[in-house]
Amino acid sequence: RNGGCGAASFFVLIYFVLLFTLIGVSSFLQKSPTVDEPVHLAAGYSYLKWGDFRANPEHPPLAKLWAALPLLAFDISDPRPSRPHWDSITENSEPVVTVDFARDLLFVDNNGETLFFYAKLQMIALAALLGALIYAWGKKLFGFEAGIAALALFAFDPNILGHSQIVHTDMPFALLFFLSVCCFWRLSEQANWRNLLLTSLFFGLAAVTKYSYVAILLAWFALGLVKVFSREPLISAFTNSRAIHSRLGKTILLSGGLTSALAAAYFIIWAAYRFRFYAIDGGLRPLHMEWVMPAENSLLHSLANFVYEHHLFPEAWIYGQLYVLKFLNRTAYLLGEISPDGFWSYFPVAFMVKTPLPTLMLLGVSLWMVVRGRISRTSGLFLFTPAAVYFLSAVWARKKLG
C-alpha cells in the first residue's frame, strides 16, 4: 500500500508541475513585464555580475539574485559606459533613475523577451516547489486525499497563478514563510539538531527575501504560546530523547530555537551582501541614507545612526529597512474612495473579492470542523495561526498596495 501511495504521489506531482508550468509560461508569453520587474531583474543581475548593491536597496537581494541567475549564461551588453543612469543612482535618491538603468540594460541594449523568459521560469520553479510542499504537508497531516485537495486549491488559485510568474519578492517569501513555519512546527514537536538547523536556515533566507520577515517571528510567538500552554509534551532529542511537560522547559527550548534563528539570519544577511558593509565596493559612493533617515522620531533616528556608524548591518540592508519605515504610510484606493492613511478594510475586502468561492466555502467548513473537534484543535491552531497573524499584520499596517 505504501508503495502504491508513493507511486500515486509521484504521478500527482509530475502532473501538477507540468500543468502548472504550462499555464504559467503560456500566460507570461502573452504579457509584458509589470512595472517593478525590470528593476528587480536588473538589480539582481548587477549584484551577481558586478558585486554592486546600489540598485533597488528597497528590497532584500535573494529573490532578485535567484531570478537573475540564468542571465549569467548570456553575453549581455553592459550599458554603464555609454549612459549616465548607473552613476546617477548614487547621485539621485529618486528610484526612477534605477528604472532608466533597467530599461537600458534589459530592453535597449539586450533582448528583454529572452532574458525575462528564463527569469520568470525561475519564479515558476519556486511556486511549483511550494505547491509540492503543500501537497506533502497536507498528505502528512490528513492523508492522500487532503494532499490532493490542498494542491488543487493552490494550483488553480488565480492569485497564485498570477504571482507565480512575476519577478518579485512575494512568491519566494511565501515559500520561505511556509518552510519556516513548518520547520518551527516540527521543532515544537521534536527539538533536535536537524529541525533546529532547518528552522534557522529558512528564517535566515526569508530575512534576505522580504522585509515582512518580522511576521514570521510574530507567527512563531503565537505558535509557541499554543505549544507552551498545550498538554502535549515537547520532545527534546539533542542528546537523549526525553519529553518536556513543564511550561518553563518548553519556553526555554523554543526560546533557544528563536535565538538560533536570529543568529543564522544575521550571518545570512551579511553573506547575501558578500560580507561587505558598503553597497558599492570601497565605500567611495555611499547610498543616500539621509533621504530615508527618520526625521520625526528622534529615538529611531539615533538608533539608525548608531547602527550605520558602527556597521552593525550592511549599508543596503539598513537603507532598505529605513525605506520601508519611511513609506509605511501611503495613499490607498478602495471602492471609489482615496485615503492618505489607508483603509482597515482593504485586505479583508481584497481577500473576499480575490479568493475563489469554493476556497472560501472550504475554509469555513474546515474552521467549523476544528471548532467542533472533528479535526485536532492543536493541528487546526498550527495551520490557521500563521495565516491569521500575517493577515492581521497586513490589516494593522498602513501600507495598502496590490
Side-chain angles (χ1 to χ4, degrees), residues 56-389:
N56 194 233
E58 300 93 319
H59 298 274
L62 186 59
K64 294 176 280 188
L65 290 167
W66 172 256
L69 198 59
L71 274 58
L72 296 178
F74 294 90
D75 183 19
I76 293 179
S77 177
D78 186 354
R80 294 178 300 167
S82 59
R83 292 184 182 85
H85 300 132
W86 178 251
D87 290 332
S88 297
I89 292 175
T90 56
E91 299 166 0
N92 191 324
S93 57
E94 293 297 328
V96 69
V97 181
T98 308
V99 173
D100 293 334
F101 160 71
R103 180 199 62 211
D104 293 341
L105 176 68
L106 298 173
F107 299 110
V108 177
D109 292 353
N110 297 284
N111 187 336
E113 186 175 355
T114 299
L115 300 181
F116 267 103
F117 177 84
Y118 291 99
K120 286 175 175 287
L121 280 183
Q122 292 284 96
M123 309 313 288
I124 290 176
L126 293 183
L129 175 60
L130 176 56
L133 291 170
I134 288 172
Y135 165 76
W137 195 245
K139 179 172 173 289
K140 174 181 172 61
L141 289 177
F142 304 114
F144 178 72
E145 293 82 0
I148 292 288
L151 182 59
L153 291 174
F154 173 87
F156 300 111
D157 187 284
N159 300 292
I160 299 299
L161 291 171
H163 285 85
S164 63
Q165 55 196 262
I166 295 178
V167 179
H168 212 294
T169 57
D170 296 327
M171 191 56 67
F173 183 73
L175 169 64
L176 291 166
F177 188 100
F178 181 84
L179 284 168
S180 298
V181 168
C182 286
C183 289
F184 183 82
W185 186 345
R186 294 178 67 90
L187 183 69
S188 69
E189 291 183 330
Q190 185 175 62
N192 57 33
W193 290 113
R194 178 177 178 272
N195 291 336
L196 179 64
L197 290 173
L198 289 176
T199 301
S200 302
L201 172 65
F202 291 129
F203 176 74
L205 293 176
V208 290
T209 300
K210 194 176 181 68
Y211 290 126
S212 305
Y213 70 92
V214 177
I216 296 176
L217 298 176
L218 296 176
W220 283 359
F221 179 76
L223 293 176
L225 289 178
V226 172
K227 186 64 180 183
V228 167
F229 287 97
S230 73
R231 295 180 180 179
E232 296 179 0
L234 196 167
I235 307 300
S236 175
F238 289 110
T239 53
N240 297 324
S241 181
R242 59 194 181 94
I244 307 296
H245 293 272
S246 70
R247 291 176 181 174
L248 178 61
K250 294 179 186 177
T251 301
I252 291 173
L253 274 175
L254 294 177
S255 298
L258 174 61
T259 303
S260 172
L262 291 173
Y266 189 70
F267 175 83
I268 290 173
I269 288 168
W270 278 104
Y273 292 95
R274 302 193 179 190
F275 297 100
R276 195 180 73 216
F277 173 74
Y278 288 107
I280 303 171
D281 197 13
L284 299 177
R285 308 182 73 171
L287 299 178
H288 280 268
M289 299 302 299
E290 68 280 359
W291 188 63
V292 294
M293 278 289 180
E296 299 177 359
N297 191 324
S298 58
L299 178 61
L300 186 57
H301 188 279
S302 299
L303 177 62
N305 268 329
F306 179 84
V307 171
Y308 183 84
E309 291 171 2
H310 291 80
H311 295 189
L312 298 184
F313 285 91
E315 180 188 29
W317 171 263
I318 300 172
Y319 183 99
Q321 297 276 13
L322 294 176
Y323 181 91
V324 169
L325 292 174
K326 181 180 178 69
F327 293 100
L328 198 59
N329 188 13
R330 293 193 184 187
T331 302
Y333 170 86
L334 178 67
L335 301 178
E337 296 184 15
I338 295 176
S339 169
D341 302 316
F343 304 88
W344 73 265
S345 57
Y346 184 94
F347 286 114
V349 170
F351 176 74
M352 296 300 293
V353 170
K354 293 188 174 186
T355 306
L357 277 175
T359 304
L360 291 174
M361 294 169 63
L362 288 171
L363 183 62
V365 170
S366 61
L367 279 168
W368 179 83
M369 293 178 72
V370 170
V371 172
R372 299 286 295 178
R374 300 284 298 276
I375 297 175
S376 165
R377 290 184 179 176
T378 301
S379 296
L381 282 172
F382 265 80
L383 284 171
F384 282 108
T385 297
V389 167

Side-chain angles (χ1 to χ4, degrees), residues 44-68:
Y45 180 77
S46 69
Y47 304 161
L48 284 170
K49 186 70 174 180
W50 307 318
D52 193 308
F53 293 90
R54 76 180 73 183
N56 194 233
E58 300 93 319
H59 298 274
L62 186 59
K64 294 176 280 188
L65 290 167
W66 172 256

